[in-house]
Amino acid sequence: MPAGQALLFTSRRDDADAALLAAPGVAPFTWRRLLRALRDPDLEVLEVAEPLWLGEWRRALRYIALARAVRVVRRRRVAVATYAIENLDARERVPSRVARLALAVSLLSLDAVVFGTSGAAENYRRAFGWSLRRARHTVLPPRLDACSVCAADGTPREATVLFLGTPSERKGFPVLLEAWALAGAAERGWRLVVADPRGSSELALPAGVSVTVDPPRAQVHAMLRSATVVAMPSVRVPGWREQIGLPLVEGLAHGCRVVTTTETGLADDLRDHPAVELTTPRDPQSLADGLLRAMRGRVDVPPGRRGHTKSDVVAWWRSACMRRW
């Protein structure tokens, strides 16, 4: 977490990083904690949940109103910023025209927006372009270069395709199993390893496929260091579309080649990446062809920095608001 940033969380995911939750400045949300933060004379930016995260955005509007009130009393400017990654069409996320109009009007309360993918930026532009004109905004895809946690330990690459996440329909796992057979991967000496955080499904697995249930983070890093390919063939289902695809980010950060579909939010930002194979969603043959290309390719981390960290996002917010004011 960037220096000088505090995090008040209203809920937590099952796979939340325990180290982050234990860090100084991270605490469950209370109105008292928020008021104390807003009264801090050094406060420059209030980050709120993205607007298309509807439940949290309704809460965020109350936080913004409080921040505005405190700002008037203390006569200090506090910018309101958000990081947006929703890839599902806003018209499907918010079917009602009246509700979309109300949401568009509420976006006028934002001073700065960073989109995590080009897909998210285009999604918001189509639905709320006029209401975003007031805010400064840009696209800063996540960092894709070498993992900052792992040191080079000489771990040899194995003939392994790694699937990180719950082996569900929306993550494209049934299609992956079909593609695995079409590619003849097991006959070529390859293994498909599933790192399932829940272990809740009972799967009939073909030859060469195994599941590791709820591996700790250290083991996940080790699996990424030894794997050759990371596969995440997400598909769109009603009410959901892959926002970013963190397994892809982690795979690239560990020097793996990755195979995904055009449904992931990062697809447009990864089209020219030398370690990425984009395939057609729900198409086993396209996915099989992508797997074969990835299996035959070299495994190298592209040189140089690519993408952005949260510190870069915060720095952009601060710079954008200073230019605006």
Side-chain angles (χ1 to χ4, degrees):
M1 196 165 69
Q5 185 179 38
L7 172 65
L8 301 180
F9 60 90
T10 56
S11 61
R12 56 176 289 181
R13 293 170 58 94
D14 293 339
D15 58 353
D17 189 335
L20 171 62
L21 295 177
V26 178
F29 171 86
T30 66
W31 284 101
R32 179 172 297 190
R33 287 191 176 110
L34 176 60
L35 184 58
R36 186 185 307 134
L38 292 175
R39 295 174 62 186
D40 187 330
D42 294 326
L43 180 66
E44 295 178 294
V45 178
L46 172 66
E47 178 189 357
V48 294
E50 74 165 293
L52 282 173
W53 188 3
L54 300 176
E56 289 298 322
W57 179 246
R58 294 187 188 99
R59 296 182 186 181
L61 290 174
R62 287 177 281 174
Y63 309 154
I64 294 170
L66 180 60
R68 301 295 192 209
V70 171
R71 183 170 72 178
V72 169
V73 172
R74 298 182 62 83
R75 297 182 180 179
R76 291 186 59 88
R77 292 186 182 274
V78 177
V80 178
T82 193
Y83 179 78
I85 57 174
E86 182 57 69
N87 194 35
L88 182 68
D89 192 307
R91 289 164 293 189
E92 182 176 346
R93 197 86 168 87
V94 189
S96 165
R97 288 188 178 183
V98 173
R100 283 203 305 275
L101 178 59
L103 184 56
V105 171
S106 71
L107 263 61
L108 295 172
S109 62
L110 293 171
D111 296 299
V113 183
V114 168
F115 296 105
T117 67
S118 297
E122 178 61 19
N123 188 23
Y124 275 84
R125 185 199 64 77
R126 285 195 307 267
F128 311 114
W130 65 269
S131 57
L132 286 173
R133 291 173 187 167
R134 180 181 177 277
R136 301 188 69 91
H137 49 86
T138 192
V139 179
L140 299 179
R143 180 74 67 85
L144 300 175
D145 56 1
C147 176
S148 60
V149 175
C150 295
D153 60 0
T155 301
R157 296 285 177 179
E158 300 173 357
T160 299
V161 175
L162 183 60
F163 180 95
L164 294 173
T166 304
S168 61
E169 178 189 357
R170 71 180 190 176
K171 294 295 184 178
F173 190 72
V175 183
L176 178 59
L177 291 184
E178 290 186 57
W180 183 257
L182 287 173
E187 292 81 356
R188 297 170 186 271
W190 284 75
R191 295 185 304 124
L192 172 60
V193 177
V194 180
D196 182 358
R198 297 179 182 176
S200 56
S201 56
E202 297 181 1
L203 302 170
L205 300 176
V209 183
S210 62
V211 176
T212 300
V213 175
D214 194 20
R217 285 299 299 169
Q219 184 177 352
V220 171
H221 280 281
M223 296 167 82
L224 284 161
R225 288 196 301 271
S226 63
T228 296
V229 178
V230 168
M232 197 196 72
S234 298
V235 299
R236 194 185 317 195
V237 298
W240 183 87
R241 191 181 183 192
E242 192 75 60
Q243 293 177 329
I244 285 185
L246 290 180
L248 306 183
V249 176
E250 291 197 312
L252 292 171
H254 287 81
C256 303
R257 297 184 66 82
V258 302
V259 182
T260 187
T261 71
T262 53
E263 284 300 317
T264 181
L266 270 177
D268 286 341
D269 302 290
L270 294 176
R271 288 188 183 279
D272 64 342
H273 197 292
V276 174
E277 297 291 343
L278 288 180
T279 67
T280 304
R282 297 187 184 276
D283 185 336
Q285 188 59 62
S286 175
L287 182 57
D289 293 341
L291 286 171
L292 287 172
R293 290 193 298 270
M295 291 172 183
R296 294 166 180 158
R298 293 180 57 191
V299 180
D300 289 312
V301 177
R305 171 176 164 172
R306 183 184 178 118
H308 306 271
T309 65
K310 183 60 183 293
S311 294
D312 298 326
V313 171
V314 173
W316 189 90
W317 281 334
R318 294 179 62 192
S319 175
C321 292
M322 287 178 62
R323 293 198 303 272
R324 180 179 177 190
W325 290 337

